[in-house]
Amino acid sequence: GLVSLKYMMKGGQAMVEAIVAFAIVMVAIVGLVDLSKRSVTSSGISQRESRATSYLNQGMAWVRGQRDTLGWSGFSALAGQIYCLEVDDLALANWSTVVTDIANCPALGQTEYTRAVTLTVATVTPAGGGAVTDVVTAEMEVRWREGERLVRRRLATNLLPY
């Protein structure tokens, strides 16, 4: 009697220890799965950020080239508008898609991104004197969605006549 009760108690204790060990292992597995999921999500976000930066830089290079192609008077005359740059191949881009808000721009090629540039012009006098000149500020913006969140990246530069 007493010996078998002692073995039953040890068997019950072993069962409790096994259940606790199983619970600890399950918590660890759930934690690792969550960490893995976050890592994949973070990697995807980083890739989209990198692509957005590339679209910003390509767009700004195109705008600088347009200043040279159109000449200063033609280029600065474009100021005061928001222009969509919806083509992935900027060799095909033009100034024809004008919007009141970048939210109205079509997607950039077959991507999830939208890209637009806003041009503004200001007349400045250099510090210490000198000739008054116009400066065109080009603000490029790329947008996309991360789930429900709208993500925006911007790049701005001041352009002067040559």
Side-chain angles (χ1 to χ4, degrees), residues 48-114:
R48 286 186 290 280
E49 291 272 350
S50 177
R51 178 164 285 175
T53 300
S54 176
Y55 286 141
L56 284 170
N57 290 330
Q58 290 169 3
M60 198 59 79
W62 181 80
V63 168
R64 284 188 193 99
Q66 288 293 292
R67 173 195 56 191
D68 302 340
T69 300
L70 300 174
W72 184 251
S73 61
F75 178 71
S76 61
L78 295 168
Q81 302 286 338
I82 301 171
Y83 300 92
C84 300
L85 299 177
E86 69 269 18
V87 292
D88 198 16
D89 180 0
L90 287 171
L92 304 174
N94 59 49
W95 297 98
S96 65
T97 309
V98 178
V99 294
T100 56
D101 185 337
I102 186 176
N104 299 326
C105 286
L108 194 145
Q110 299 298 315
T111 71
E112 61 187 311
Y113 301 91
T114 57

Side-chain angles (χ1 to χ4, degrees), residues 22 63 70 145 152 160:
F22 180 75
V63 168
L70 300 174
R145 291 207 168 273
R152 302 172 186 183
L160 300 167

